[in-house]
């Protein structure tokens, strides 16, 4: 499950097979069971080292290792999302949002936010970029039609905290419109995650229309 493109190809093939072969047919049961097992094993192996921000700041090697593991976990999130509609949503949400995001990736995301100081500059840019990347890897159907999955709460709270930090900086000088650009991107993340109201509030704080 290391290649997103190959995983999506497998998912597309499985979806096509299901048009002709009943899901309860033994061969399909075995195929989907194998996919489920591979995803669960990959999620188990994808844990990020829970190093605090001070360790990452002091050790470039640790920072590179953590970033590499974060990117690997992101690829796996895309892979899990590729099987929406083929495997049970509860299983996929549990793997993606429960085991990967909440269970493994949040220390890294919180470290990015700590480095941002909930202000501006490169630190906030990295914090927004990491949250943006995670949101993009999650299937949008998981956040449509009501409350977000319970497993998403910690990630949603993280994104909301970034939004609050940017809102608090809205009246300060914004050379080159850098913070406004981050606000636009984060508002789009909030909207994707089903919190369009908070996203609109953030956009309005920076005078952004159509976010």
């Amino acid at each position: 499950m290391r290649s997103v493109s190959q995983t999506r190809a497998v998912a597309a093939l499985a979806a096509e097979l299901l048009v002709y072969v009943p899901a309860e047919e033994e061969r399909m049961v075995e195929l989907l069971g194998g996919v489920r097992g591979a995803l669960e094993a990959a999620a188990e192996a994808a844990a990020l080292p829970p190093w605090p921000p001070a360790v990452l700041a002091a050790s470039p090697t640790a920072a590179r290792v953590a970033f590499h593991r974060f990117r690997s976990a992101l690829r796996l999130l895309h892979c899990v999302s590729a099987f929406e509609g083929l495997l049970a949503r509860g299983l996929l949400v549990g793997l993606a949002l429960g085991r990967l995001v909440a269970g493994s990736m949040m220390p890294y995301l919180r470290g990015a936010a700590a480095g941002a100081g909930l202000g501006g500059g490169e630190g906030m840019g990295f914090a927004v970029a990491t949250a943006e990347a995670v949101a993009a890897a999650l299937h949008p159907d998981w956040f449509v039609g009501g409350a977000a999955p319970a497993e998403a709460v910690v990630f949603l709270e993280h994104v909301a905290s970034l939004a609050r930090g940017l809102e608090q900086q809205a009246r300060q000088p914004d050379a080159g419109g850098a913070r406004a650009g981050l606000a636009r991107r984060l508002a789009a993340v909030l909207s994707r995650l089903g919190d369009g109201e908070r996203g609109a509030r953030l956009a309005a704080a920076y005078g952004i229309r159509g976010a």
Side-chain angles (χ1 to χ4, degrees):
M1 294 292 174
R2 293 183 179 181
S3 169
V4 176
S5 60
Q6 290 179 2
T7 300
R8 286 174 175 163
V10 170
L13 176 59
E16 187 172 351
L17 286 173
L18 282 171
V19 175
Y20 306 101
V21 182
E24 62 272 13
E25 208 275 341
E26 183 178 358
R27 289 171 296 176
M28 284 304 302
V29 171
E30 291 179 355
L31 172 62
L32 295 177
V35 168
R36 172 175 178 163
L39 288 174
E40 290 177 333
E44 189 70 25
L48 276 73
W51 295 326
V55 172
L56 301 182
S59 171
T61 299
R64 285 194 297 270
V65 169
F67 183 65
H68 174 75
R69 296 299 295 270
F70 178 75
R71 287 176 59 88
S72 296
L74 275 179
R75 286 193 294 271
L76 184 54
L77 282 180
H78 281 284
C79 292
V80 172
S81 295
F83 289 96
E84 169 66 22
L86 295 172
L87 297 176
R89 180 171 292 182
L91 166 71
L92 299 176
V93 167
L95 285 174
L97 285 163
R99 192 175 301 182
L100 283 171
V101 178
S104 182
M105 301 171 79
M106 283 310 304
Y108 190 80
L109 293 168
R110 290 184 180 120
L118 295 184
E122 295 181 1
M124 177 57 85
F126 185 65
V128 171
T130 53
E132 192 176 41
V134 170
L138 302 172
H139 201 285
D141 287 357
W142 298 346
F143 302 92
V144 172
E151 294 89 342
V153 169
V154 291
F155 180 56
L156 291 173
E157 289 177 348
H158 170 74
V159 177
S161 73
L162 295 178
R164 287 192 296 271
L166 281 172
E167 283 183 49
Q168 291 168 4
Q169 300 292 320
R171 294 183 179 275
Q172 296 185 10
D174 184 18
R179 274 202 313 276
L182 294 177
R184 181 185 295 276
R185 288 165 56 189
L186 196 60
V189 169
L190 287 161
S191 179
R192 180 182 176 88
L193 297 176
D195 195 353
E197 182 179 347
R198 188 184 297 274
R201 187 164 63 246
L202 173 61
Y206 282 86
I208 299 169
R209 298 185 178 183

